[in-house]
Amino acid sequence: MSEKSEQQVGLGPIPFYKPSVSEEEIAAVVDTLRSGWLTMGPKTRLFEERFATEVGASHAIAVSSATAGLHLGLDAMDLQPGDEVLVPTITFASTAATVVHAGAIPVLVDCEADTLNMDVDDAARKCGPRTKAIVPVHLAGHPCEMDRIAALAAERGLRVMEDAAHALPASYRGRSVGSISELTVFSFYATKNLTTGEGGMVTTDNAELADRIRMRRLHGMSRDAWKRYRSDGSWRYDVAYPGFKYNTTDVAAALGLVQLDRLAAMQERRMAIARRYMAALADCREIELPAVRPEIGHAWHLFIVRMNHDMLTIHRDAVIEAMTAAGVGTSVHFIPLHVHSYYRDRFGYNDARLPEASRQWERMISLPLFPALSDADVDRVAATLVGIVERNRR
Ligand SMILES: *Cc1c(COP(=O)(O)O)cnc(C)c1O
């Protein structure tokens, strides 16, 4: 890997992400459009059944987004004003925004230095008399310490809802993510490992909770509204709760069903790309590679490297700028919640209260990782990064 490869002319830019949609998905969507049933219906039911089987859960409820699923999960817990929910500070906005929407207070938790996942010791420290739930996020697709989280939850009487937006398919000590905790929420947003454009799924083994979420997903009506429009359906319904409009559509489900068929193959490719990055960057001491614990199966949604600033004359931000200039798209996952104005102003969070995450996020860069990325693309991304680092060694 020389500087030459990053300066080769005539090579197109490598985007940070490109969705993997084949002719099969396109045909399935067109079929559904021709079927006369567009919104939630038989395709959604099939998608839910197949997804539940895929992750080993008793129930799967399809929703319009992971954000909707997180909100429904918290809403189903019937939290009271002043109740607290533990959320990692390194996550996407909606993990905590939905806690606010559910009328509770998000309590931000620091991260582990190696995996960047929620630090369970810090979660335990921040657990108080009003703490009702914990929402671990499997950052980049690396599952959190679920045994320790389950033990903390049992000890303190907390509900557990996993934000598995990055973690399909992933496993922890041989168990599939989606079958471990009381509630798990997946995202099918355009950039995620399985996409329906927009969409999400809630999984649970608790039948009562599944019924509640299913009902609240569609206006709080006592029976699935779609049944009302079948020829044998009755026009009668009852509103038993002020529910939400968080259902998905059969158009999205048709896309999801094909994506589910392709998931194993897409995952193979993600793993091969991750291995190739690991090998290509292994000798570069200025770059810290992602930690992978032996007891987990990684979904490889993201490949997050970290800059060892003490060995470099430039900051992460300048590395990102140089990558962009060389035609390689990158991103940062995530700017921690405590850095954002809402969380600073409303709850008084600052770097001192979340020291590890404050140190780590400044070093993070997410590299392109999607199934259509070729080996040559991966090599070019790695060579570009190594070239930038080598020219800016301390
Ligand atoms: C993408 C994402 C979400 C939100 O997913 P949507 O389906 O877009 O609502 C939530 N949490 C994390 C960690 C995410 O990356």
Side-chain angles (χ1 to χ4, degrees):
M1 278 180 298
S2 63
E3 281 183 36
K4 228 189 282 169
S5 51
E6 83 190 74
Q7 289 159 356
Q8 279 177 44
V9 282
L11 288 178
I14 298 174
F16 175 68
Y17 188 74
K18 222 170 18 188
S20 186
V21 173
S22 72
E23 287 304 317
E24 237 188 302
E25 279 93 332
I26 293 167
V29 166
V30 170
D31 275 354
T32 304
L33 292 174
R34 291 209 169 102
S35 77
W37 199 285
L38 302 184
T39 188
M40 187 164 69
K43 290 262 165 57
T44 302
R45 178 144 300 186
L46 192 60
F47 185 37
E48 290 175 336
E49 281 168 14
R50 297 236 347 250
F51 192 91
T53 304
E54 178 75 27
V55 302
S58 310
H59 309 274
I61 304 118
V63 288
S64 54
S65 68
T67 304
L70 292 165
H71 189 194
L72 282 166
L74 292 161
D75 189 76
M77 295 177 195
D78 288 332
L79 300 167
Q80 301 303 309
D83 283 351
E84 295 173 359
V85 178
L86 298 164
V87 170
T89 189
I90 298 186
T91 187
F92 184 60
S94 60
T95 317
T98 47
V99 172
V100 177
H101 297 324
I105 298 166
V107 173
L108 302 184
V109 178
D110 213 345
C111 69
E112 298 175 334
D114 58 347
T115 65
L116 303 168
N117 277 333
M118 174 185 267
D119 174 355
V120 186
D121 291 328
D122 194 50
R125 275 193 294 274
K126 286 172 176 166
C127 213
R130 298 299 305 267
T131 312
K132 294 290 156 60
I134 184 165
V135 186
V137 177
H138 308 304
L139 192 75
H142 188 301
C144 295
E145 275 298 317
M146 291 314 299
D147 280 354
R148 295 196 57 214
I149 288 168
L152 175 69
E155 186 191 322
R156 309 301 283 260
L158 311 179
R159 316 284 296 255
V160 182
M161 175 173 70
E162 296 173 44
D163 178 338
H166 298 180
L168 179 73
S171 62
Y172 174 79
R173 296 191 189 279
R175 284 174 290 161
S176 283
V177 169
S179 70
I180 298 168
S181 300
E182 186 175 40
L183 285 164
T184 306
V185 181
F186 295 91
S187 173
F188 308 140
Y189 181 65
T191 61
K192 300 288 159 61
N193 288 19
L194 183 157
T195 185
T196 62
E198 298 281 358
M201 194 74 83
V202 182
T203 62
T204 180
D205 283 340
N206 181 329
E208 191 270 331
L209 208 46
D211 282 346
R212 195 185 297 194
I213 290 168
R214 204 171 275 121
M215 188 254 269
R216 293 182 182 189
R217 152 182 77 171
L218 195 65
H219 308 300
M221 288 173 167
S222 60
R223 45 186 300 166
D224 280 4
W226 69 278
K227 287 184 193 155
R228 290 189 289 126
Y229 299 104
R230 292 197 315 203
S231 50
D232 59 342
S234 159
W235 52 269
R236 237 176 233 295
Y237 62 90
D238 177 50
V239 173
Y241 184 82
F244 304 95
K245 185 65 166 75
Y246 281 167
N247 62 288
T248 189
T249 71
D250 265 22
V251 179
L255 187 45
L257 280 163
V258 180
Q259 288 264 301
L260 207 48
D261 282 338
R262 296 181 52 222
L263 185 64
M266 291 193 292
Q267 193 54 27
E268 279 284 304
R269 183 62 199 146
R270 283 182 178 278
M271 285 166 63
I273 292 167
R275 277 195 300 269
R276 200 169 180 91
Y277 273 138
M278 288 285 200
L281 299 170
D283 296 330
C284 188
R285 290 173 54 242
E286 291 80 5
I287 297 166
E288 183 178 337
L289 291 170
V292 182
R293 299 218 173 128
E295 67 273 20
I296 64 106
H298 204 308
W300 289 114
H301 173 57
L302 299 172
F303 195 92
I304 301 175
V305 295
R306 280 176 278 176
M307 300 299 108
N308 288 330
H309 282 140
D310 51 348
M311 299 181 191
L312 293 165
T313 56
I314 56 168
H315 182 259
R316 181 271 318 268
D317 295 3
V319 177
I320 289 177
E321 254 174 61
M323 293 288 280
T324 307
V328 177
T330 58
S331 193
V332 173
H333 297 85
F334 293 94
I335 302 171
L337 295 177
H338 72 267
V339 174
H340 294 290
S341 56
Y342 175 77
Y343 293 93
R344 278 192 280 116
D345 299 347
R346 166 89 190 268
F347 303 107
Y349 285 111
N350 56 42
D351 284 2
R353 293 175 63 182
L354 296 141
E356 194 62 55
S358 302
R359 271 193 295 277
Q360 297 300 339
W361 90 270
E362 290 278 0
R363 307 171 52 212
M364 291 160 44
I365 302 179
S366 300
L367 302 182
L369 173 50
F370 53 90
L373 208 60
S374 70
D375 285 353
D377 291 337
V378 174
D379 294 347
R380 204 175 121 208
V381 172
T384 304
L385 182 59
V386 170
I388 292 163
V389 159
E390 283 180 346
R391 271 180 274 119
N392 294 283
R393 273 194 177 129
R394 196 178 282 282

